[in-house]
Amino acid sequence: DANRQISDLKFKLAKSEQEITALEQNVIRLEGQVARYKSAAENAERVEDELKAEKRKLQRELRSALDKTEELEVSNGHLVKRLEKMKANRSALLSQQ
C-alpha cells in the first residue's frame, strides 16, 4: 500500500513538474507578447505624435495659403477697379477728341 502511495505521489509529482514547465513556458511566451505589444504601442504613439505635428504644420500652411489667396483677391479687385477707371478715362478722352 505504501509503495502504491509512493508510486501515485511520484506520478503526481512528475505531472505537476510537467504542468509547471508548461506554465513557465506560457509565462515566457506571454512576456514576449507583452514586450512586442508594448513596443508596438510606443511606436504607434510616436507615429501619432508625428502625424499630429504634421497636421498642425499643414493647417498652418493652409491658413497661410488662404490668407494669401484672400490678399490676392482683394488686390485683384482693386486692380480691376483701377483698370475700369483707366478704360473709362480713355473712353472719355477718345470721345472728347
Side-chain angles (χ1 to χ4, degrees):
D1 191 40
N3 284 337
R4 186 185 55 78
Q5 282 183 340
I6 291 172
S7 177
D8 284 348
L9 291 174
K10 284 182 180 179
F11 176 76
K12 287 180 181 178
L13 176 63
K15 189 175 178 182
S16 294
E17 287 173 347
Q18 286 177 347
E19 288 177 7
I20 288 171
T21 302
L23 290 172
E24 286 172 344
Q25 290 172 350
N26 198 23
V27 165
I28 291 168
R29 182 182 58 81
L30 291 173
E31 286 173 344
Q33 279 184 342
V34 166
R36 284 192 302 278
Y37 290 150
K38 184 177 178 182
S39 175
E42 289 170 353
N43 189 44
E45 288 174 358
R46 181 184 51 78
V47 168
E48 180 185 21
D49 291 342
E50 290 173 0
L51 288 173
K52 284 179 180 178
E54 181 70 15
K55 180 182 176 184
R56 286 191 298 271
K57 176 185 168 198
L58 290 172
Q59 286 175 332
R60 279 193 306 272
E61 290 177 6
L62 174 61
R63 281 193 302 273
S64 175
L66 290 173
D67 290 344
K68 184 68 174 174
T69 300
E70 185 178 348
E71 287 176 27
L72 292 172
E73 287 174 350
V74 168
S75 177
N76 187 45
H78 291 303
L79 292 172
V80 166
K81 287 179 185 176
R82 283 182 58 194
L83 181 61
E84 288 172 359
K85 284 182 184 179
M86 292 172 75
K87 285 181 181 177
N89 287 339
R90 189 178 97 194
S91 294
L93 287 174
L94 289 175
S95 65
Q96 288 178 357
Q97 292 178 347

